[in-house]
Short mmCIF file of all heavy atoms in Angstrom, two decimals:
data_model
loop_
_atom_site.label_atom_id
_atom_site.label_comp_id
_atom_site.label_asym_id
_atom_site.label_seq_id
_atom_site.Cartn_x
_atom_site.Cartn_y
_atom_site.Cartn_z
N GLY V 1411 88.37 92.43 140.07
CA GLY V 1411 87.53 91.84 141.08
C GLY V 1411 87.00 92.87 142.05
O GLY V 1411 87.09 94.07 141.79
N PRO V 1412 86.46 92.43 143.16
CA PRO V 1412 85.86 93.37 144.15
C PRO V 1412 86.85 94.34 144.71
O PRO V 1412 88.08 94.02 144.85
CB PRO V 1412 85.29 92.45 145.20
CG PRO V 1412 86.09 91.19 145.10
CD PRO V 1412 86.42 91.07 143.66
N GLY V 1413 86.40 95.50 145.08
CA GLY V 1413 87.25 96.64 145.53
C GLY V 1413 87.77 96.40 146.93
O GLY V 1413 87.81 95.31 147.48
N PRO V 1414 88.20 97.50 147.59
CA PRO V 1414 88.07 98.84 147.05
C PRO V 1414 89.00 99.18 145.90
O PRO V 1414 90.18 98.74 145.92
CB PRO V 1414 88.33 99.71 148.25
CG PRO V 1414 89.21 98.91 149.09
CD PRO V 1414 88.83 97.48 148.88
N HIS V 1415 88.52 99.91 144.90
CA HIS V 1415 89.33 100.36 143.82
C HIS V 1415 89.40 101.92 143.77
O HIS V 1415 88.47 102.54 144.22
CB HIS V 1415 88.79 99.85 142.50
CG HIS V 1415 88.82 98.36 142.41
ND1 HIS V 1415 89.74 97.56 142.96
CD2 HIS V 1415 87.96 97.45 141.79
CE1 HIS V 1415 89.59 96.27 142.72
NE2 HIS V 1415 88.44 96.20 142.03
N GLY V 1416 90.34 102.44 143.05
CA GLY V 1416 90.50 103.81 142.94
C GLY V 1416 90.78 104.22 141.46
O GLY V 1416 91.06 103.32 140.63
N LEU V 1417 90.56 105.45 141.17
CA LEU V 1417 90.86 105.98 139.82
C LEU V 1417 91.71 107.22 139.95
O LEU V 1417 91.40 108.16 140.68
CB LEU V 1417 89.54 106.30 139.14
CG LEU V 1417 89.66 106.98 137.76
CD1 LEU V 1417 90.28 106.05 136.77
CD2 LEU V 1417 88.33 107.48 137.29
N GLU V 1418 92.85 107.20 139.21
CA GLU V 1418 93.69 108.43 139.20
C GLU V 1418 93.94 108.87 137.80
O GLU V 1418 94.39 108.12 136.95
CB GLU V 1418 95.04 108.11 139.87
CG GLU V 1418 94.84 107.79 141.40
CD GLU V 1418 96.20 107.52 142.08
OE1 GLU V 1418 97.24 107.45 141.38
OE2 GLU V 1418 96.19 107.41 143.33
N VAL V 1419 93.57 110.15 137.55
CA VAL V 1419 93.79 110.70 136.21
C VAL V 1419 94.69 111.90 136.36
O VAL V 1419 94.49 112.80 137.22
CB VAL V 1419 92.36 111.23 135.66
CG1 VAL V 1419 92.55 111.84 134.27
CG2 VAL V 1419 91.39 110.09 135.67
N TRP V 1420 95.75 111.91 135.59
CA TRP V 1420 96.70 112.96 135.69
C TRP V 1420 97.40 113.31 134.36
O TRP V 1420 97.35 112.54 133.41
CB TRP V 1420 97.75 112.69 136.80
CG TRP V 1420 98.86 111.72 136.40
CD1 TRP V 1420 100.05 111.98 135.79
CD2 TRP V 1420 98.77 110.26 136.51
NE1 TRP V 1420 100.72 110.86 135.53
CE2 TRP V 1420 100.04 109.77 135.94
CE3 TRP V 1420 97.88 109.36 136.93
CZ2 TRP V 1420 100.34 108.36 135.95
CZ3 TRP V 1420 98.18 108.01 136.94
CH2 TRP V 1420 99.37 107.58 136.42
N GLU V 1421 97.99 114.44 134.36
CA GLU V 1421 98.68 114.93 133.18
C GLU V 1421 100.16 114.53 133.20
O GLU V 1421 100.76 114.55 134.26
CB GLU V 1421 98.59 116.51 133.11
CG GLU V 1421 99.25 117.13 131.87
CD GLU V 1421 99.16 118.64 132.00
OE1 GLU V 1421 99.11 119.19 133.10
OE2 GLU V 1421 99.09 119.31 130.91
N ARG V 1422 100.65 114.11 132.04
CA ARG V 1422 102.08 113.81 131.95
C ARG V 1422 102.88 115.09 132.21
O ARG V 1422 102.42 116.22 131.90
CB ARG V 1422 102.39 113.30 130.62
CG ARG V 1422 101.95 111.86 130.40
CD ARG V 1422 102.08 111.44 128.95
NE ARG V 1422 103.41 111.66 128.42
CZ ARG V 1422 103.73 111.79 127.14
NH1 ARG V 1422 102.75 111.61 126.21
NH2 ARG V 1422 104.91 112.01 126.72
N ASP V 1423 104.07 114.97 132.76
CA ASP V 1423 104.95 116.10 133.01
C ASP V 1423 105.44 116.72 131.70
O ASP V 1423 106.10 116.04 130.92
CB ASP V 1423 106.14 115.73 133.87
CG ASP V 1423 105.77 115.35 135.27
OD1 ASP V 1423 104.71 115.80 135.74
OD2 ASP V 1423 106.53 114.59 135.90
N LEU V 1424 105.07 117.96 131.51
CA LEU V 1424 105.58 118.71 130.31
C LEU V 1424 106.47 119.86 130.72
O LEU V 1424 107.20 120.32 129.94
CB LEU V 1424 104.40 119.20 129.49
CG LEU V 1424 103.45 118.13 128.87
CD1 LEU V 1424 102.36 118.78 128.10
CD2 LEU V 1424 104.23 117.16 128.00
N GLN V 1425 106.32 120.35 131.94
CA GLN V 1425 107.07 121.43 132.46
C GLN V 1425 107.79 121.03 133.73
O GLN V 1425 107.57 119.98 134.28
CB GLN V 1425 106.15 122.66 132.82
CG GLN V 1425 105.49 123.31 131.62
CD GLN V 1425 104.25 122.59 131.14
OE1 GLN V 1425 103.57 121.98 131.93
NE2 GLN V 1425 103.96 122.72 129.85
N ALA V 1426 108.72 121.84 134.12
CA ALA V 1426 109.46 121.61 135.35
C ALA V 1426 108.55 121.86 136.56
O ALA V 1426 107.50 122.55 136.48
CB ALA V 1426 110.66 122.52 135.44
N ALA V 1427 108.91 121.27 137.66
CA ALA V 1427 108.08 121.41 138.88
C ALA V 1427 107.98 122.88 139.25
O ALA V 1427 108.92 123.66 139.20
CB ALA V 1427 108.74 120.69 140.06
N GLY V 1428 106.76 123.34 139.50
CA GLY V 1428 106.48 124.69 139.85
C GLY V 1428 106.21 125.60 138.64
O GLY V 1428 105.78 126.74 138.81
N GLU V 1429 106.25 125.02 137.44
CA GLU V 1429 105.99 125.75 136.27
C GLU V 1429 104.84 125.14 135.41
O GLU V 1429 104.69 125.45 134.25
CB GLU V 1429 107.22 125.87 135.40
CG GLU V 1429 108.39 126.57 136.08
CD GLU V 1429 109.69 126.55 135.31
OE1 GLU V 1429 109.64 126.07 134.19
OE2 GLU V 1429 110.70 127.07 135.79
N GLU V 1430 104.11 124.21 136.01
CA GLU V 1430 103.07 123.45 135.25
C GLU V 1430 101.93 124.39 134.90
O GLU V 1430 101.53 125.27 135.61
CB GLU V 1430 102.59 122.27 136.08
CG GLU V 1430 103.62 121.29 136.52
CD GLU V 1430 104.17 121.67 137.92
OE1 GLU V 1430 104.06 122.78 138.35
OE2 GLU V 1430 104.69 120.73 138.53
N ALA V 1431 101.37 124.08 133.72
CA ALA V 1431 100.10 124.70 133.32
C ALA V 1431 98.96 123.98 134.10
O ALA V 1431 99.19 122.89 134.61
CB ALA V 1431 99.90 124.57 131.82
N PRO V 1432 97.80 124.57 134.18
CA PRO V 1432 96.70 123.91 134.81
C PRO V 1432 96.41 122.55 134.20
O PRO V 1432 96.51 122.42 132.92
CB PRO V 1432 95.53 124.90 134.58
CG PRO V 1432 96.18 126.22 134.40
CD PRO V 1432 97.47 125.95 133.67
N GLN V 1433 96.13 121.52 134.97
CA GLN V 1433 95.90 120.23 134.42
C GLN V 1433 94.70 120.19 133.52
O GLN V 1433 93.72 120.91 133.74
CB GLN V 1433 95.66 119.26 135.61
CG GLN V 1433 96.95 118.96 136.37
CD GLN V 1433 96.74 117.80 137.41
OE1 GLN V 1433 95.60 117.56 137.82
NE2 GLN V 1433 97.82 117.15 137.72
N TRP V 1434 94.76 119.37 132.52
CA TRP V 1434 93.64 119.25 131.61
C TRP V 1434 92.52 118.50 132.36
O TRP V 1434 92.77 117.63 133.16
CB TRP V 1434 93.97 118.54 130.29
CG TRP V 1434 94.66 117.14 130.51
CD1 TRP V 1434 95.95 116.94 130.69
CD2 TRP V 1434 93.98 115.91 130.57
NE1 TRP V 1434 96.13 115.56 130.88
CE2 TRP V 1434 94.95 114.92 130.79
CE3 TRP V 1434 92.66 115.49 130.43
CZ2 TRP V 1434 94.68 113.56 130.84
CZ3 TRP V 1434 92.41 114.13 130.48
CH2 TRP V 1434 93.38 113.21 130.68
N GLN V 1435 91.28 118.90 132.08
CA GLN V 1435 90.13 118.32 132.80
C GLN V 1435 89.53 117.16 131.99
O GLN V 1435 88.92 117.40 130.96
CB GLN V 1435 89.07 119.44 133.06
CG GLN V 1435 89.59 120.55 133.94
CD GLN V 1435 89.95 120.08 135.31
OE1 GLN V 1435 89.21 119.35 135.94
NE2 GLN V 1435 91.14 120.44 135.76
N SER V 1436 89.74 115.98 132.44
CA SER V 1436 89.24 114.82 131.70
C SER V 1436 87.82 114.48 132.34
O SER V 1436 87.50 114.84 133.48
CB SER V 1436 90.13 113.65 131.96
OG SER V 1436 89.51 112.48 131.48
N ASP V 1437 86.96 113.92 131.47
CA ASP V 1437 85.65 113.48 131.99
C ASP V 1437 85.68 112.03 132.39
O ASP V 1437 84.65 111.43 132.50
CB ASP V 1437 84.59 113.71 130.90
CG ASP V 1437 84.95 112.98 129.57
OD1 ASP V 1437 85.96 112.37 129.50
OD2 ASP V 1437 84.18 113.15 128.65
N MET V 1438 86.85 111.51 132.62
CA MET V 1438 86.98 110.07 133.09
C MET V 1438 86.28 109.86 134.37
O MET V 1438 85.67 108.80 134.54
CB MET V 1438 88.44 109.72 133.14
CG MET V 1438 89.07 109.52 131.84
SD MET V 1438 88.34 108.14 130.88
CE MET V 1438 89.12 108.40 129.30
N ASN V 1439 86.39 110.76 135.30
CA ASN V 1439 85.78 110.58 136.59
C ASN V 1439 84.24 110.46 136.45
O ASN V 1439 83.64 109.64 137.08
CB ASN V 1439 86.13 111.72 137.52
CG ASN V 1439 87.54 111.58 138.09
OD1 ASN V 1439 87.84 110.74 138.82
ND2 ASN V 1439 88.40 112.50 137.61
N SER V 1440 83.67 111.25 135.53
CA SER V 1440 82.23 111.15 135.38
C SER V 1440 81.84 109.90 134.59
O SER V 1440 80.81 109.34 134.85
CB SER V 1440 81.66 112.39 134.60
OG SER V 1440 82.31 112.47 133.36
N LEU V 1441 82.70 109.43 133.68
CA LEU V 1441 82.38 108.23 132.92
C LEU V 1441 82.57 106.94 133.76
O LEU V 1441 81.86 105.96 133.54
CB LEU V 1441 83.33 108.12 131.70
CG LEU V 1441 83.08 109.11 130.53
CD1 LEU V 1441 84.19 109.00 129.51
CD2 LEU V 1441 81.70 108.81 129.90
N LEU V 1442 83.39 107.02 134.76
CA LEU V 1442 83.70 105.82 135.50
C LEU V 1442 83.41 105.93 136.98
O LEU V 1442 83.66 104.94 137.72
CB LEU V 1442 85.20 105.45 135.35
CG LEU V 1442 85.73 105.19 133.91
CD1 LEU V 1442 87.19 105.11 133.87
CD2 LEU V 1442 85.09 103.90 133.35
N GLY V 1443 82.88 107.05 137.41
CA GLY V 1443 82.68 107.27 138.79
C GLY V 1443 81.80 106.24 139.52
O GLY V 1443 81.95 105.93 140.66
N ASP V 1444 80.87 105.61 138.77
CA ASP V 1444 79.97 104.62 139.39
C ASP V 1444 80.74 103.34 139.75
O ASP V 1444 80.19 102.56 140.55
CB ASP V 1444 78.82 104.33 138.43
CG ASP V 1444 79.35 103.78 137.12
OD1 ASP V 1444 80.17 104.39 136.47
OD2 ASP V 1444 78.84 102.69 136.73
N LEU V 1445 81.92 103.14 139.17
CA LEU V 1445 82.65 101.93 139.44
C LEU V 1445 83.64 102.06 140.53
O LEU V 1445 84.25 101.14 141.09
CB LEU V 1445 83.38 101.48 138.17
CG LEU V 1445 82.50 101.03 136.98
CD1 LEU V 1445 83.41 100.59 135.86
CD2 LEU V 1445 81.61 99.86 137.36
N VAL V 1446 83.95 103.38 140.87
CA VAL V 1446 85.02 103.63 141.85
C VAL V 1446 84.56 103.60 143.27
O VAL V 1446 83.57 104.22 143.55
CB VAL V 1446 85.75 104.93 141.51
CG1 VAL V 1446 86.80 105.26 142.51
CG2 VAL V 1446 86.26 104.98 140.10
N THR V 1447 85.14 102.78 144.07
CA THR V 1447 84.85 102.80 145.50
C THR V 1447 85.52 104.01 146.19
O THR V 1447 86.73 104.20 146.08
CB THR V 1447 85.34 101.49 146.15
OG1 THR V 1447 84.83 100.36 145.48
CG2 THR V 1447 84.92 101.41 147.56
N ARG V 1448 84.71 104.84 146.78
CA ARG V 1448 85.26 106.03 147.40
C ARG V 1448 85.98 105.66 148.72
O ARG V 1448 85.38 105.38 149.69
CB ARG V 1448 84.13 107.05 147.71
CG ARG V 1448 83.32 107.43 146.49
CD ARG V 1448 84.26 108.11 145.44
NE ARG V 1448 83.56 108.40 144.19
CZ ARG V 1448 84.10 108.86 143.10
NH1 ARG V 1448 85.41 109.06 143.10
NH2 ARG V 1448 83.43 109.16 142.03
N THR V 1449 87.29 105.67 148.65
CA THR V 1449 88.06 105.28 149.83
C THR V 1449 89.45 105.90 149.71
O THR V 1449 89.94 106.17 148.59
CB THR V 1449 88.22 103.75 149.94
OG1 THR V 1449 89.12 103.46 151.05
CG2 THR V 1449 88.80 103.16 148.66
N ASP V 1450 90.08 106.23 150.82
CA ASP V 1450 91.42 106.75 150.80
C ASP V 1450 92.47 105.66 150.69
O ASP V 1450 93.64 105.96 150.48
CB ASP V 1450 91.68 107.54 152.09
CG ASP V 1450 90.80 108.81 152.19
OD1 ASP V 1450 90.51 109.36 151.09
OD2 ASP V 1450 90.52 109.24 153.29
N LYS V 1451 92.03 104.39 150.82
CA LYS V 1451 93.01 103.29 150.77
C LYS V 1451 92.51 102.24 149.79
O LYS V 1451 92.17 101.11 150.17
CB LYS V 1451 93.15 102.71 152.17
CG LYS V 1451 93.80 103.69 153.13
CD LYS V 1451 93.98 103.04 154.53
CE LYS V 1451 94.58 104.05 155.53
NZ LYS V 1451 94.82 103.40 156.82
N PRO V 1452 92.52 102.54 148.49
CA PRO V 1452 92.09 101.52 147.54
C PRO V 1452 93.12 100.46 147.35
O PRO V 1452 94.31 100.65 147.64
CB PRO V 1452 91.99 102.33 146.23
CG PRO V 1452 92.95 103.48 146.38
CD PRO V 1452 92.85 103.84 147.88
N ASP V 1453 92.59 99.24 147.01
CA ASP V 1453 93.55 98.14 146.80
C ASP V 1453 94.17 98.24 145.43
O ASP V 1453 95.42 98.33 145.30
CB ASP V 1453 92.72 96.76 146.85
CG ASP V 1453 93.63 95.64 146.75
OD1 ASP V 1453 94.83 95.81 146.87
OD2 ASP V 1453 93.09 94.45 146.60
#
């Protein structure tokens, strides 16, 4: 239904904290960005 909505894309933990490789860059934000309400407090 109506927002505000958010989108979070993240990498599963493969390494211990502080030893992570750079996160993989997904194009999900570009594919879905038009649907996401830009807000710090999404429902």
Side-chain angles (χ1 to χ4, degrees):
H1415 297 325
L1417 174 66
E1418 294 182 353
V1419 181
W1420 76 91
E1421 182 182 29
R1422 286 170 52 198
D1423 290 336
L1424 299 179
Q1425 291 84 27
E1429 301 175 0
E1430 302 93 337
Q1433 288 188 335
W1434 55 273
Q1435 298 298 311
S1436 171
D1437 56 2
M1438 286 296 169
N1439 285 289
S1440 60
L1441 287 172
L1442 300 171
D1444 60 305
L1445 295 178
V1446 179
T1447 305
R1448 301 301 175 185
T1449 176
D1450 293 332
K1451 297 181 179 180
D1453 186 11

